[in-house]
Amino acid sequence: MKDVIFLPWEGENYQKGGFNGKKILVIGESFYCSEEEAVATLTTNIVEDYLAIRKGEYRKNNGGWTNTYLKFERSLKGKETTPEDSQKIWNSIAFYNS
């Protein structure tokens, strides 16, 4: 993991106006992963897994970590979010985690 640089997640609508007309870049503090999991695309992989889990799909890394992403998106929305809201929100922001 020594020299891995994680690429950011950029939602497909981020460049087209972002979230409510604002481009939002979310900065995370860290990933907790094994050496094997520490690949450049980890951020994208995690967000894609989260969105799949929100739609009810199974992922091998299902777990409590999704609560962080759920609480974050609900803070942006100001209320409970649906799986459809999750898709819209994450496809409207950029996210970088180190």
Side-chain angles (χ1 to χ4, degrees):
M1 233 165 68
K2 181 176 134 189
D3 296 317
V4 172
I5 296 174
F6 299 115
L7 300 171
W9 161 268
E10 186 176 305
E12 61 187 31
N13 297 319
Y14 178 72
Q15 293 295 338
K16 300 174 196 167
F19 181 76
N20 290 338
K22 296 180 179 155
K23 289 187 179 179
I24 298 174
L25 170 61
V26 179
I27 310 255
E29 187 265 331
S30 63
F31 278 122
Y32 298 95
C33 62
S34 68
E35 293 273 337
E36 295 79 35
E37 294 170 316
V39 296
T41 59
L42 182 60
T43 306
T44 297
N45 299 345
I46 292 290
V47 174
E48 288 174 350
D49 282 350
Y50 171 71
L51 293 174
I53 291 165
R54 285 288 283 150
K55 290 192 291 188
E57 296 175 22
Y58 174 79
R59 291 292 192 263
K60 80 175 185 177
N61 64 353
N62 273 12
W65 64 270
T66 60
N67 286 333
T68 301
Y69 294 77
L70 183 62
K71 288 176 184 178
F72 167 73
E73 70 187 38
R74 288 177 175 172
S75 72
L76 277 180
K77 185 88 173 173
K79 61 181 183 176
E80 297 289 312
T81 53
T82 65
E84 293 78 21
D85 291 331
S86 298
Q87 297 290 325
K88 280 184 176 178
I89 290 167
W90 287 95
N91 280 313
S92 299
I93 64 173
F95 174 52
Y96 179 79
N97 205 0
S98 59

